[in-house]
Coordinates of all heavy atoms in Angstrom, one line a residue:
Chain A
G1243 N 67.1 100.2 82.5 CA 66.0 101.2 82.2 C 66.4 102.6 82.5 O 65.9 103.6 82.0
F1244 N 67.3 102.8 83.5 CA 67.6 104.1 84.0 C 68.8 104.7 83.2 O 69.1 105.9 83.4 CB 67.9 104.1 85.5 CG 66.7 103.9 86.3 CD1 66.4 102.6 86.8 CD2 65.9 105.0 86.6 CE1 65.3 102.4 87.6 CE2 64.8 104.8 87.4 CZ 64.5 103.5 87.9
Q1245 N 69.4 103.9 82.5 CA 70.7 104.4 81.9 C 70.5 105.5 80.9 O 71.3 106.4 80.8 CB 71.5 103.3 81.3 CG 72.4 102.7 82.2 CD 73.6 102.0 81.5 OE1 73.4 101.3 80.6 NE2 74.8 102.3 82.0
S1246 N 69.5 105.5 80.1 CA 69.3 106.4 79.0 C 69.0 107.8 79.5 O 69.5 108.8 79.0 CB 68.3 106.0 78.0 OG 67.1 105.7 78.8
S1247 N 68.2 107.9 80.6 CA 67.8 109.3 81.0 C 68.8 109.8 82.0 O 68.8 109.4 83.2 CB 66.4 109.2 81.6 OG 66.4 108.2 82.7
K1248 N 69.7 110.7 81.6 CA 70.7 111.2 82.5 C 70.0 112.2 83.4 O 70.6 112.6 84.4 CB 71.8 111.9 81.7 CG 72.6 111.0 80.8 CD 74.0 110.9 81.4 CE 74.7 109.7 80.9 NZ 75.0 109.6 79.5
S1249 N 68.8 112.7 83.2 CA 68.2 113.7 84.0 C 67.6 113.1 85.3 O 67.4 113.8 86.2 CB 67.1 114.4 83.2 OG 66.1 113.5 82.8
L1250 N 67.5 111.8 85.3 CA 66.9 111.1 86.5 C 68.0 111.2 87.6 O 69.0 110.6 87.5 CB 66.6 109.7 86.2 CG 65.8 109.0 87.3 CD1 64.5 109.6 87.5 CD2 65.7 107.5 86.9
R1251 N 67.6 111.9 88.7 CA 68.6 112.1 89.7 C 68.7 110.9 90.7 O 69.8 110.4 91.0 CB 68.3 113.4 90.5 CG 68.5 114.6 89.6 CD 69.9 114.6 89.0 NE 70.2 115.9 88.3 CZ 71.1 116.0 87.4 NH1 71.9 115.0 87.1 NH2 71.3 117.2 86.8
L1252 N 67.6 110.6 91.2 CA 67.6 109.5 92.3 C 67.5 108.2 91.6 O 66.5 107.8 91.0 CB 66.5 109.8 93.2 CG 66.4 108.7 94.3 CD1 67.6 108.7 95.2 CD2 65.1 108.9 95.2
Q1253 N 68.6 107.4 91.8 CA 68.6 106.0 91.2 C 68.1 105.0 92.3 O 68.9 104.8 93.2 CB 69.9 105.7 90.7 CG 70.3 106.6 89.6 CD 71.8 106.4 89.2 OE1 72.4 105.5 89.7 NE2 72.3 107.3 88.3
I1254 N 67.0 104.5 92.1 CA 66.5 103.6 93.1 C 67.0 102.2 92.9 O 67.2 101.4 93.8 CB 64.9 103.5 93.1 CG1 64.4 104.9 93.3 CG2 64.4 102.6 94.2 CD1 62.9 105.0 93.3
S1255 N 67.3 101.9 91.6 CA 67.8 100.5 91.4 C 69.1 100.2 92.0 O 69.9 101.1 92.1 CB 67.9 100.3 89.9 OG 69.0 101.0 89.4
C1256 N 69.3 99.0 92.5 CA 70.5 98.8 93.3 C 71.4 97.7 92.6 O 72.6 97.7 92.9 CB 70.1 98.2 94.6 SG 68.9 96.9 94.5
A1257 N 70.9 97.0 91.7 CA 71.7 95.9 91.1 C 72.6 96.5 90.0 O 72.1 97.1 89.0 CB 70.8 94.8 90.6
A1258 N 73.9 96.3 90.1 CA 74.8 96.7 89.0 C 74.7 95.7 87.9 O 74.2 94.6 88.2 CB 76.2 96.8 89.6
K1259 N 75.2 96.1 86.8 CA 75.1 95.1 85.6 C 75.9 93.8 85.9 O 76.9 93.9 86.5 CB 75.6 95.8 84.4 CG 74.7 96.8 83.8 CD 75.1 97.0 82.3 CE 76.4 97.7 82.2 NZ 76.3 99.1 82.0
P1260 N 75.3 92.7 85.5 CA 76.0 91.4 85.8 C 77.4 91.4 85.2 O 78.3 90.8 85.7 CB 75.1 90.4 85.3 CG 73.9 91.0 84.9 CD 74.0 92.5 85.0
E1261 N 77.6 92.0 84.0 CA 78.9 92.0 83.4 C 79.9 92.7 84.3 O 81.1 92.3 84.4 CB 78.9 92.7 82.0 CG 77.9 92.2 81.0 CD 76.7 93.1 81.1 OE1 76.8 94.3 80.8 OE2 75.6 92.6 81.4
T1262 N 79.5 93.8 84.9 CA 80.4 94.5 85.8 C 80.8 93.7 86.9 O 81.9 93.6 87.3 CB 79.7 95.8 86.3 OG1 79.1 96.5 85.2 CG2 80.8 96.7 86.9
V1263 N 79.8 93.0 87.5 CA 80.0 92.2 88.7 C 81.0 91.1 88.3 O 81.9 90.7 89.0 CB 78.7 91.6 89.3 CG1 79.0 90.6 90.4 CG2 77.8 92.7 89.7
Q1264 N 80.8 90.5 87.1 CA 81.7 89.5 86.6 C 83.1 89.9 86.4 O 84.1 89.3 86.8 CB 81.1 88.9 85.3 CG 81.9 87.7 84.7 CD 81.9 86.6 85.7 OE1 80.9 86.3 86.3 NE2 83.1 86.0 85.9
K1265 N 83.2 91.1 85.8 CA 84.6 91.7 85.6 C 85.3 91.9 87.0 O 86.5 91.6 87.2 CB 84.5 93.0 84.9 CG 84.3 92.8 83.4 CD 84.5 94.2 82.7 CE 83.9 94.1 81.3 NZ 83.7 95.5 80.7
V1266 N 84.5 92.4 87.9 CA 85.1 92.7 89.3 C 85.5 91.4 89.9 O 86.6 91.3 90.5 CB 84.1 93.4 90.2 CG1 84.6 93.5 91.6 CG2 83.7 94.8 89.6
S1267 N 84.7 90.3 89.7 CA 85.0 89.0 90.3 C 86.3 88.5 89.7 O 87.2 87.9 90.4 CB 83.9 88.0 90.1 OG 82.7 88.5 90.5
D1268 N 86.5 88.7 88.4 CA 87.7 88.2 87.7 C 88.9 88.9 88.3 O 89.9 88.2 88.5 CB 87.6 88.5 86.2 CG 86.6 87.6 85.5 OD1 86.3 86.5 86.1 OD2 86.1 87.9 84.4
I1269 N 88.8 90.2 88.5 CA 90.0 90.9 89.0 C 90.3 90.5 90.4 O 91.5 90.3 90.7 CB 89.7 92.4 88.9 CG1 89.7 92.9 87.4 CG2 90.7 93.2 89.7 CD1 89.5 94.4 87.2
V1270 N 89.2 90.3 91.2 CA 89.5 89.9 92.6 C 90.2 88.5 92.6 O 91.1 88.3 93.3 CB 88.1 89.8 93.3 CG1 88.3 89.2 94.7 CG2 87.6 91.2 93.5
K1271 N 89.7 87.6 91.7 CA 90.3 86.3 91.7 C 91.7 86.3 91.3 O 92.6 85.6 91.9 CB 89.5 85.4 90.7 CG 88.4 84.7 91.2 CD 87.9 83.6 90.2 CE 86.4 83.3 90.6 NZ 85.8 82.5 89.5
E1272 N 92.0 87.2 90.3 CA 93.4 87.3 89.9 C 94.3 87.9 90.9 O 95.4 87.4 91.2 CB 93.5 88.1 88.6 CG 94.8 88.1 87.9 CD 94.9 89.2 86.9 OE1 93.8 89.6 86.3 OE2 96.0 89.7 86.7
Q1273 N 93.8 88.9 91.6 CA 94.6 89.6 92.6 C 94.8 88.7 93.8 O 95.9 88.7 94.4 CB 93.8 90.8 93.1 CG 94.5 91.6 94.1 CD 95.9 92.1 93.6 OE1 96.0 92.5 92.5 NE2 96.9 92.0 94.4
L1274 N 93.8 87.9 94.3 CA 94.0 87.1 95.5 C 94.5 85.7 95.1 O 94.6 84.9 96.0 CB 92.7 87.0 96.2 CG 92.1 88.4 96.7 CD1 90.8 88.2 97.4 CD2 93.1 89.1 97.6
A1275 N 94.7 85.5 93.8 CA 95.2 84.1 93.4 C 94.3 83.0 93.8 O 94.8 82.0 94.3 CB 96.6 83.9 93.9
L1276 N 93.0 83.2 93.6 CA 92.1 82.2 93.9 C 91.9 81.2 92.8 O 92.1 81.6 91.6 CB 90.7 82.8 94.2 CG 90.7 83.8 95.4 CD1 89.3 84.5 95.4 CD2 90.9 83.2 96.7
S1277 N 91.6 80.0 93.0 CA 91.4 79.0 91.9 C 90.2 79.4 91.1 O 89.3 80.1 91.6 CB 91.3 77.6 92.4 OG 90.1 77.5 93.3
A1278 N 90.2 79.0 89.8 CA 89.2 79.4 88.9 C 87.8 79.0 89.3 O 86.8 79.6 88.9 CB 89.5 78.9 87.5
D1279 N 87.6 77.9 90.1 CA 86.3 77.5 90.3 C 85.8 77.9 91.7 O 84.8 77.4 92.3 CB 86.2 76.0 90.2 CG 87.3 75.3 91.0 OD1 88.1 76.0 91.6 OD2 87.3 74.0 91.0
T1280 N 86.5 78.9 92.4 CA 86.0 79.3 93.7 C 84.7 80.1 93.4 O 84.6 81.0 92.6 CB 87.0 80.3 94.3 OG1 88.3 79.9 94.0 CG2 86.8 80.4 95.8
A1281 N 83.7 79.7 94.2 CA 82.4 80.4 94.0 C 82.4 81.8 94.6 O 82.7 82.0 95.8 CB 81.3 79.6 94.7
L1282 N 82.2 82.8 93.7 CA 82.2 84.2 94.2 C 80.9 84.8 94.0 O 80.5 85.1 92.9 CB 83.3 85.0 93.3 CG 84.7 85.0 93.8 CD1 85.5 86.0 93.0 CD2 84.8 85.4 95.3
T1283 N 80.2 85.0 95.1 CA 78.9 85.7 94.9 C 79.1 87.2 95.0 O 80.2 87.6 95.4 CB 77.9 85.2 96.0 OG1 78.4 85.8 97.3 CG2 77.8 83.7 96.1
A1284 N 78.0 87.9 94.7 CA 78.2 89.4 94.7 C 78.3 89.9 96.2 O 78.8 91.0 96.4 CB 76.9 90.0 94.1
E1285 N 78.0 89.1 97.1 CA 78.0 89.5 98.5 C 79.2 89.1 99.3 O 79.4 89.4 100.4 CB 76.8 89.0 99.3 CG 75.4 89.6 98.7 CD 75.4 91.1 98.7 OE1 75.9 91.7 99.6 OE2 74.9 91.6 97.7
S1286 N 80.1 88.4 98.6 CA 81.3 87.9 99.3 C 82.2 89.1 99.7 O 82.5 90.0 98.9 CB 82.1 86.9 98.5 OG 81.8 87.0 97.2
K1287 N 82.6 89.1 101.0 CA 83.5 90.2 101.4 C 84.9 89.8 101.1 O 85.3 88.7 101.0 CB 83.4 90.2 103.0 CG 82.1 90.9 103.5 CD 82.1 90.9 105.0 CE 81.1 91.9 105.5 NZ 81.7 93.2 105.6
F1288 N 85.7 90.9 100.8 CA 87.1 90.7 100.5 C 87.8 90.0 101.6 O 88.7 89.2 101.4 CB 87.7 92.0 100.1 CG 87.2 92.6 98.9 CD1 86.8 94.0 98.9 CD2 87.0 91.9 97.7 CE1 86.4 94.5 97.7 CE2 86.5 92.5 96.6 CZ 86.2 93.8 96.6
S1289 N 87.5 90.4 102.9 CA 88.2 89.9 104.0 C 88.0 88.4 104.1 O 88.8 87.6 104.6 CB 87.9 90.6 105.3 OG 86.5 90.7 105.4
A1290 N 86.7 88.0 103.8 CA 86.4 86.5 103.9 C 87.2 85.7 102.9 O 87.4 84.5 103.0 CB 84.9 86.3 103.7
L1291 N 87.6 86.4 101.8 CA 88.4 85.7 100.7 C 89.9 85.7 101.0 O 90.7 85.2 100.2 CB 88.1 86.3 99.4 CG 86.7 86.3 98.9 CD1 86.5 87.3 97.8 CD2 86.3 84.9 98.5
G1292 N 90.3 86.2 102.2 CA 91.7 86.2 102.5 C 92.4 87.4 102.1 O 93.7 87.4 102.0
A1293 N 91.8 88.5 101.9 CA 92.4 89.8 101.5 C 92.7 90.6 102.7 O 91.8 90.9 103.5 CB 91.6 90.5 100.5
D1294 N 93.9 91.1 102.9 CA 94.1 92.1 103.9 C 93.9 93.5 103.4 O 93.5 93.6 102.2 CB 95.5 92.0 104.6 CG 96.6 92.2 103.6 OD1 96.3 92.6 102.4 OD2 97.8 92.0 103.9
S1295 N 94.1 94.5 104.2 CA 93.7 95.9 103.7 C 94.5 96.3 102.5 O 94.0 97.0 101.6 CB 93.8 96.9 104.9 OG 95.1 96.7 105.5
L1296 N 95.8 95.9 102.5 CA 96.6 96.3 101.3 C 96.0 95.7 100.0 O 96.0 96.3 99.0 CB 98.0 95.9 101.5 CG 99.0 96.5 100.5 CD1 99.0 98.0 100.6 CD2 100.4 95.9 100.8
D1297 N 95.6 94.4 100.2 CA 95.0 93.7 99.0 C 93.7 94.5 98.6 O 93.5 94.6 97.4 CB 94.5 92.3 99.4 CG 95.7 91.3 99.3 OD1 96.5 91.5 98.4 OD2 95.8 90.4 100.1
T1298 N 92.9 95.0 99.5 CA 91.7 95.7 99.1 C 92.1 96.9 98.3 O 91.5 97.2 97.3 CB 90.9 96.1 100.4 OG1 90.8 94.9 101.2 CG2 89.5 96.6 100.0
V1299 N 93.1 97.7 98.8 CA 93.5 98.9 98.1 C 94.0 98.5 96.7 O 93.7 99.1 95.7 CB 94.6 99.6 98.9 CG1 95.1 100.8 98.1 CG2 94.1 100.0 100.2
E1300 N 94.8 97.4 96.6 CA 95.3 96.9 95.3 C 94.2 96.6 94.4 O 94.2 96.9 93.2 CB 96.2 95.8 95.5 CG 97.3 95.7 94.5 CD 98.3 94.7 94.8 OE1 98.5 94.4 96.0 OE2 98.9 94.2 93.8
I1301 N 93.1 95.9 94.9 CA 92.0 95.6 94.1 C 91.3 96.8 93.5 O 91.0 96.9 92.4 CB 91.0 94.7 94.9 CG1 91.6 93.3 95.1 CG2 89.7 94.6 94.1 CD1 90.7 92.5 96.0
V1302 N 91.2 97.8 94.4 CA 90.5 99.1 94.0 C 91.4 99.7 92.9 O 90.8 100.3 91.9 CB 90.4 100.1 95.2 CG1 89.9 101.4 94.7 CG2 89.4 99.5 96.2
M1303 N 92.7 99.7 93.0 CA 93.6 100.3 92.0 C 93.4 99.5 90.7 O 93.5 100.1 89.6 CB 95.0 100.3 92.4 CG 95.3 101.1 93.7 SD 94.8 102.7 93.7 CE 95.6 103.4 92.3
A1304 N 93.3 98.2 90.8 CA 93.2 97.4 89.6 C 91.9 97.7 88.9 O 91.8 97.8 87.6 CB 93.2 95.9 89.9
L1305 N 90.8 98.0 89.7 CA 89.5 98.3 89.1 C 89.6 99.7 88.5 O 89.0 100.0 87.4 CB 88.5 98.3 90.2 CG 88.2 96.9 90.8 CD1 87.2 97.1 91.9 CD2 87.6 96.1 89.7
E1306 N 90.4 100.6 89.1 CA 90.5 101.9 88.5 C 91.2 101.9 87.2 O 90.8 102.6 86.2 CB 91.5 102.8 89.4 CG 90.8 103.7 90.4 CD 91.8 104.7 90.9 OE1 92.8 105.1 90.3 OE2 91.5 105.1 92.1
E1307 N 92.2 101.0 87.1 CA 92.9 100.9 85.8 C 92.0 100.3 84.7 O 91.9 100.7 83.6 CB 94.1 100.1 86.0 CG 94.9 100.0 84.7 CD 95.7 98.7 84.6 OE1 95.8 98.0 85.6 OE2 96.1 98.3 83.5
K1308 N 91.2 99.2 85.1 CA 90.5 98.5 84.2 C 89.3 99.3 83.6 O 89.0 99.2 82.4 CB 89.9 97.2 84.9 CG 88.9 96.4 84.1 CD 89.6 95.2 83.6 CE 88.6 94.5 82.7 NZ 89.2 93.4 82.0
F1309 N 88.6 100.0 84.5 CA 87.5 100.8 84.1 C 87.8 102.2 83.8 O 86.8 103.0 83.5 CB 86.4 100.7 85.1 CG 85.8 99.3 85.3 CD1 86.2 98.5 86.3 CD2 84.8 98.9 84.5 CE1 85.7 97.2 86.4 CE2 84.3 97.6 84.6 CZ 84.7 96.8 85.6
N1310 N 89.0 102.6 83.9 CA 89.4 104.0 83.6 C 88.7 105.0 84.4 O 88.2 106.0 83.9 CB 89.1 104.2 82.1 CG 90.3 104.9 81.4 OD1 91.1 105.4 82.1 ND2 90.3 105.0 80.1
I1311 N 88.5 104.8 85.7 CA 87.9 105.7 86.6 C 88.9 106.1 87.6 O 90.0 105.6 87.7 CB 86.7 105.1 87.2 CG1 87.1 103.8 87.9 CG2 85.5 104.9 86.3 CD1 86.0 103.1 88.6
S1312 N 88.4 107.1 88.5 CA 89.3 107.5 89.5 C 88.5 107.5 90.8 O 87.5 108.2 91.0 CB 89.8 108.9 89.2 OG 90.8 109.3 90.1
V1313 N 88.9 106.6 91.7 CA 88.1 106.4 93.0 C 88.7 107.3 94.1 O 89.9 107.2 94.3 CB 88.2 104.9 93.4 CG1 87.4 104.7 94.7 CG2 87.6 104.1 92.3
E1314 N 87.9 108.1 94.7 CA 88.3 108.9 95.8 C 88.6 108.1 97.0 O 88.0 107.0 97.1 CB 87.3 110.0 96.1 CG 87.0 110.9 95.0 CD 88.1 111.9 94.7 OE1 88.7 112.4 95.6 OE2 88.4 112.0 93.5
E1315 N 89.4 108.6 97.9 CA 89.7 107.8 99.1 C 88.5 107.6 100.0 O 88.3 106.5 100.5 CB 90.8 108.5 99.9 CG 91.3 107.6 101.0 CD 92.3 108.4 101.9 OE1 92.8 109.4 101.5 OE2 92.4 107.9 103.1

Side-chain angles (χ1 to χ4, degrees):
Chain A
F1244 286 98
Q1245 266 208 311
S1246 52
S1247 55
K1248 292 248 160 65
S1249 57
L1250 187 66
R1251 292 306 185 198
L1252 176 62
Q1253 297 170 4
I1254 305 178
S1255 73
C1256 50
K1259 288 201 289 264
E1261 306 97 62
T1262 315
V1263 176
Q1264 185 55 43
K1265 282 189 196 166
V1266 174
S1267 306
D1268 288 340
I1269 289 183
V1270 171
K1271 270 192 202 168
E1272 188 193 332
Q1273 179 60 41
L1274 301 177
L1276 304 170
S1277 59
D1279 52 355
T1280 325
L1282 274 188
T1283 69
E1285 296 304 322
S1286 20
K1287 284 179 161 273
F1288 294 133
S1289 47
L1291 298 165
D1294 63 6
S1295 46
L1296 190 62
D1297 276 324
T1298 312
V1299 179
E1300 208 171 334
I1301 288 173
V1302 172
M1303 300 307 301
L1305 295 171
E1306 262 195 29
E1307 183 212 342
K1308 172 107 185 169
F1309 291 97
N1310 225 346
I1311 51 178
S1312 192
V1313 180
E1314 300 290 318
E1315 188 187 338

